[in-house]
Amino acid sequence: MKVYEKAPAKINLSLDVLRKRSDGYHEVEMIMTMVDLADRLEMEELPRDTIIISSQAGYIPLDEKNLAFQAAKLIKERYSVKKGVYIHLDKRIPVAAGLAGGSSDAAAALRGLNRLWNLNISVEELQKLGEELGSDVPFCVKGGTAIARGRGERLEMISSPPQCWVILVKPPINVSTADVYGRLSVDKIRNRPSTEALLESIRTGNFHALCKSLGNVLEDVTMELHPEVRHLKETMLRLGADGALMSGSGPTVFGLVQRESKLARIYNGLRGFCKEVHAVRLLTGTS
Ligand code: ATP
């Protein structure tokens, strides 16, 4: 018996950090949505009580450090499943990119194993399990578009943004999420995103207002460390994107365009100096 799951990448349309909490985490407020760039997971039951992960991507851990492995281990323990599983990860989301690839793989593993082993776990319960694996996992379990608060785990689902093209560009640099948050001085933040304005633009389906309201307070920190991220965002806008923003703690920058006729120019312009460029649609449920 085999099951298959898609694990889509997330982008942040906004990311605001409200304060540093006494537990060391940051209190965030962010609007997240999913794009049609996804890893594929194939899960096959094994009679032996073991978890095996394989992937064509040579650059991710395949042992207990892999988030899909951790998801399988957690669900097996919590629901006393004595069977094993072989998970093949067809990795297409750039790694350590600010696109929550690992979190989405963990969420897809939770959904898939729930089906493979007929566990009948509710989505809410899967989200609770996911919270133990990472703050972005509960969002990835359900997908869609949401405003996330707390550490990112407190979710309120909202309507989908107006459909558009998303061009993602990932420069060949590594950014540590912990390092970026560590360097952020919350009291020195300039340019906070207007979450309210962004919500209003989504509610009314106003694409151009949405593009104007994009904002991420981590941009300045990552761009200071890696000026090429700022350069990519400027290039994206110069080539004709209607809006552009760094996702998560970076380094991926995404651009939004509604008119397909603009796509090729932006895509080719970026490909000129960056290998990892993707042009995809938003996952709005209507596309
Ligand atoms: P986030 O936006 O949630 O910070 P990210 O997109 O920046 O996530 P990931 O692609 O999730 O980062 O990878 C972060 C680290 O997690 C990598 O360095 C990798 O070693 C590890 N990792 C564990 N499991 C996975 C997985 N299934 N896919 C990718 N990376 C994984």
Side-chain angles (χ1 to χ4, degrees):
M1 170 76 173
K2 273 189 191 178
V3 298
Y4 300 87
E5 282 284 336
K6 259 173 97 170
K10 71 99 220 240
I11 55 170
N12 290 89
L13 300 177
S14 70
L15 194 163
D16 198 4
V17 178
L18 305 181
R19 62 187 174 85
K20 180 130 194 241
R21 310 192 322 188
S22 51
D23 62 5
Y25 285 102
H26 288 84
E27 186 78 17
V28 297
E29 183 173 66
M30 52 194 184
I31 297 179
M32 302 190 283
T33 194
M34 296 220 139
V35 296
D36 196 9
L37 170 68
D39 295 342
R40 267 83 173 161
L41 279 76
E42 180 185 317
M43 289 160 263
E44 183 173 9
E45 187 178 288
L46 295 175
R48 264 186 318 127
D49 190 353
T50 180
I51 302 166
I52 300 171
I53 311 270
S54 72
S55 176
Q56 92 293 6
Y59 38 78
I60 56 164
L62 298 175
D63 53 11
E64 61 280 353
K65 290 202 197 75
N66 194 297
L67 279 155
F69 183 104
Q70 292 172 21
K73 185 163 176 249
L74 182 65
I75 213 166
K76 268 170 62 54
E77 274 170 13
R78 225 36 82 74
Y79 291 85
S80 308
V81 178
K82 299 291 174 233
K83 292 167 201 146
V85 65
Y86 166 67
I87 304 178
H88 181 74
L89 257 174
D90 177 4
K91 199 80 204 147
R92 302 187 189 184
I93 305 173
V95 174
L99 299 172
S103 303
S104 197
D105 290 348
L110 292 175
R111 289 194 304 268
L113 294 175
N114 188 27
R115 289 197 290 128
L116 185 70
W117 289 324
N118 294 312
L119 299 171
N120 287 317
I121 310 170
S122 67
V123 172
E124 292 70 30
E125 195 56 37
L126 285 181
Q127 287 183 304
K128 281 223 182 68
L129 281 175
E131 212 178 304
E132 297 181 36
L133 300 168
S135 316
D136 280 348
V137 182
F139 169 69
C140 294
V141 165
K142 195 156 177 185
T145 305
I147 174 158
R149 298 190 173 91
R151 284 187 293 133
E153 83 291 1
R154 269 183 24 230
L155 298 173
E156 184 189 324
M157 299 309 290
I158 59 172
S159 52
S160 298
Q163 185 52 286
C164 63
W165 289 96
V166 184
I167 301 126
L168 300 147
V169 55
K170 152 117 187 353
I173 51 174
N174 290 319
V175 171
S176 147
T177 302
D179 185 32
V180 171
Y181 272 101
R183 287 168 186 267
L184 178 76
S185 315
V186 180
D187 36 321
K188 291 201 190 118
I189 292 174
R190 308 172 287 132
N191 302 327
R192 285 183 185 279
S194 167
T195 307
E196 258 321 303
L198 188 56
L199 279 173
E200 181 61 15
S201 71
I202 293 173
R203 226 177 276 134
T204 54
N206 186 334
F207 177 73
H208 289 284
L210 180 143
C211 288
K212 274 206 211 125
S213 313
L214 299 171
N216 178 348
V217 298
L218 300 180
E219 262 189 352
D220 283 344
V221 181
T222 305
M223 287 174 174
E224 181 137 330
L225 285 169
H226 304 285
E228 55 268 59
V229 177
R230 186 183 305 282
H231 174 66
L232 279 178
K233 181 175 171 180
E234 286 167 1
T235 307
M236 186 82 87
L237 291 168
R238 190 168 39 78
L239 289 168
D242 298 309
L245 193 73
M246 184 183 84
S247 186
S249 52
T252 301
V253 171
F254 67 85
L256 304 180
V257 278
Q258 240 175 357
R259 292 224 319 269
E260 193 171 355
S261 55
K262 285 185 173 178
L263 259 191
R265 178 164 185 257
I266 302 174
Y267 182 88
N268 294 331
L270 291 165
R271 279 284 294 175
F273 56 94
C274 208
K275 240 175 62 193
E276 277 199 271
V277 188
H278 303 268
V280 295
R281 300 288 277 170
L282 283 178
L283 277 184
T284 61
T286 54
S287 43

